Structures are given as C-alpha cells and as structure tokens.
C-alpha cells in the first residue's frame, strides 16, 4: 500500500545552511551552520508527501532526492529565491543561519594587510523570515532561533518581532554540539505555549516538526469548517 503522508498535497519551502557575504574574492563573512537541520526537515516533509523546495546556502551536503534545491550564496540571493517561490507555499520553515550583516563594499582585489587595524562597514541584511510572515497571505511560518543564553525568552521575543506562527528555540551555547552535529535539543514555541522536546537526532526533529505542523493545520482546518 502507498504511504499517504500527513503533508500530502501541500507545498513546503525551507531555507537551510549559512549565507556567505563576500569581502573580497577570497574572503567572506559567514557562520558554522552545516545545513543538516534544514535538510533533515526538507527530507521529512517529502517523506510526509509534501512538494518541497529547499533554498540552501553553501553546504557540503548532497542534495536530497525528490527535493527541488536552489543553491544560493548571499542573504540577498536567499531572499530573492524565497520571494520567487513563497506565493505557492503552504508552509515556510526558515532554518537558515542568515548572516545578519554584509560588507558595505566588495573589494575587487584581495584586501592587503597594510594596517594593524582594518575597519569594516557592515550593512544589516533583510530579514527573510519576517518578510514572509508579514506578507498579505502568509504561509504557515516557522522560524528557528539559535540562542546562547535566555533561550526561551529570546526565542519568544523573536516570535513576536518577526511575526511568525511558531519558533523553534535552539540552545547553541555548546557550539560544537548543535551546529554541524547530528543532534539537537529544541523547544517549540507558539503564541501561547512552550514545549520542551528531548534531545533528538536532527532527522527525528524534522519528522516530529513535520507531523506537528500537519496536525496543527488539520486542527485549524477542522475548526474553521465547523458549522459550514
Ligand atoms: O545547519 P546546522 O549545522 O544543522 O545547524 C542548525 C541551526 C543551529 C543553524 C538551526 O537549527 C537554527 O537554529 N537556525 C537559525 C539560526 C539563526 O541564525 O537564527 P537567528 O536567531 O539569527 O534567526 C531567527 C530566524 O530568523 C531564523 O529562522 C532565521 O532563518 C531567520 N532570519 C534571520 C536573519 C535574517 N536576516 N533573515 C532570516 O530569515
């Protein structure tokens, strides 16, 4: 018998990995995201029957089968790729560790070490998640919040400033554990609840999240169709 997934018929858009913001032809600003968490979510969504588009910053991962992967490098490219696809998405999950600032200037030639201090001007990148959440007809929008302190409170603050439906709070104080590793300890934060999940493999976090989103959407559909 064919497995009918809980996300059958739905389109899911996922961002994953870091972004790289070039300073010169050989140097960039970036972070340690490996892409594993985002790829695991994309795979779980496909297994649950969704059509999945994955907008991925640079990673060493093999593009998963059955997923439309669009590789990007910078935050601006990631935003453009998301804007191209988001109108057909029912669910948006922002797992990417977007580099918050980009260099104001790109130096065409390798920057020389002529001085003992080098000052860089950095410009704030646009917030892709907030952009999606603030659309007129947003998809169901889930963000991730990587925090090194006050994990739950900081994640709750991000939920409200960014305006997404849910946020997954992620304790990355043990940097070598979460970023690049295979396990994750997260908390699911909604407007009214905060739920602690046990330490799970990133694959299991992906599967659990896919199922929770599906359950929530079917509950919402169920309640909105009451009496109709
Ligand atoms: O890739 P791995 O090695 O598997 O590691 C996974 C992870 C730790 C990177 C991932 O689980 C995670 O927590 N991702 C979000 C990391 C992050 O940078 O969070 P943030 O607090 O800066 O941003 C909060 C949310 O806003 C995120 O959903 C982020 O994608 C989004 N954002 C942030 C800045 C920006 N300019 N645009 C965004 O869309």
């Amino acid at each position: 018998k064919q497995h009918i997934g809980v996300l059958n018929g739905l389109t899911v858009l996922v961002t994953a990995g870091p972004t790289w913001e070039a300073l010169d032809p050989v140097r960039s600003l970036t972070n340690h995201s490996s892409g594993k968490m985002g790829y695991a979510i994309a795979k779980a969504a496909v297994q649950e029957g969704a059509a999945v588009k994955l907008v991925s910053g640079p990673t060493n991962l093999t593009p998963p089968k059955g997923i439309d992967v669009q590789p990007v490098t910078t935050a601006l490219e990631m935003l453009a790729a998301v804007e191209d696809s988001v109108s057909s998405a029912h669910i948006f999950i922002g797992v990417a560790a977007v580099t918050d600032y980009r260099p104001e200037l790109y130096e065409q030639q390798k920057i020389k070490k002529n001085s003992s201090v080098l000052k860089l001007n950095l410009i704030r990148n646009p917030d892709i998640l907030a952009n999606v959440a603030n659309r007129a007809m947003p998809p169901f929008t889930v963000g991730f919040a990587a925090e090194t302190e006050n994990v739950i409170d900081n994640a709750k603050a991000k939920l409200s400033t960014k305006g997404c439906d849910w946020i997954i709070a992620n304790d990355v104080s043990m940097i070598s554990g979460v970023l690049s590793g295979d396990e994750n300890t997260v908390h699911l934060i909604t407007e009214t609840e905060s739920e602690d999940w046990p330490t799970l493999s990133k694959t299991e976090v992906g599967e659990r999240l896919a199922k929770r989103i599906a359950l929530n959407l079917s509950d919402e559909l169920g309640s909105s169709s009451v009496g109709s």
Side-chain angles (χ1 to χ4, degrees):
K1 250 200 198 156
Q2 212 196 335
H3 163 73
I4 308 237
V6 292
L7 294 174
N8 240 21
L10 297 180
T11 299
V12 180
L13 178 60
V14 181
T15 64
T19 65
W20 288 16
E21 314 295 331
L23 283 160
D24 71 15
V26 297
R27 303 183 181 97
S28 291
L29 297 179
T30 186
N31 58 67
H32 297 290
S33 169
S34 63
K36 285 180 184 172
M37 189 65 252
Y39 278 55
I41 289 171
K43 282 187 207 166
V46 157
Q47 274 161 17
E48 289 299 344
V52 178
K53 170 127 190 186
L54 176 60
V55 177
S56 175
T59 75
N60 291 321
L61 303 175
T62 312
K65 286 208 182 77
I67 295 177
D68 174 11
V69 184
Q70 182 165 352
V72 295
T73 304
T74 66
L76 292 177
E77 288 169 11
M78 186 171 274
L79 174 67
V82 165
E83 283 181 337
D84 275 352
S85 299
V86 70
S87 57
S88 58
H90 301 99
I91 299 162
F92 174 80
I93 310 175
V95 196
V98 182
T99 306
D100 289 316
Y101 293 87
R102 66 179 182 277
E104 182 176 30
L105 293 176
Y106 171 77
E107 298 292 344
Q108 298 293 335
Q109 306 300 330
K110 192 179 162 195
I111 299 167
K112 296 279 176 231
K113 45 179 174 298
N114 294 331
S115 56
S116 58
V117 175
L118 173 67
K119 289 199 173 162
L120 291 173
N121 270 344
L122 303 178
I123 299 186
R124 182 87 174 257
N125 270 326
D127 193 306
I128 301 165
L129 177 66
N131 228 282
V132 170
N134 290 301
R135 290 173 67 86
M137 300 271 288
F140 186 77
T141 303
V142 182
F144 268 70
E147 301 294 342
T148 53
E149 57 176 358
N150 302 326
V151 177
I152 308 276
D153 285 347
N154 285 342
K156 279 186 180 159
K158 278 184 188 165
L159 179 79
S160 64
T161 48
K162 295 185 186 235
C164 47
D165 293 291
W166 288 358
I167 207 146
I168 306 292
N170 217 166
D171 187 342
V172 293
S173 52
M174 309 277 282
I175 221 97
S176 57
V178 175
L179 286 125
S180 308
D182 292 317
E183 290 191 333
N184 208 351
T185 313
V186 302
H187 315 264
L188 167 61
I189 302 198
T190 71
E191 216 178 313
T192 52
E193 283 167 294
S194 157
E195 185 180 298
D196 302 334
W197 290 8
T199 299
L200 298 168
S201 69
K202 287 181 178 173
T203 303
E204 288 166 327
V205 171
E207 287 165 356
R208 198 164 166 149
L209 182 60
K211 292 201 169 83
R212 283 301 305 268
I213 293 172
L215 184 66
N216 185 68
L217 292 182
S218 66
D219 283 354
E220 274 183 7
L221 272 178
S223 55
S224 67
S225 62
V226 169
S228 64

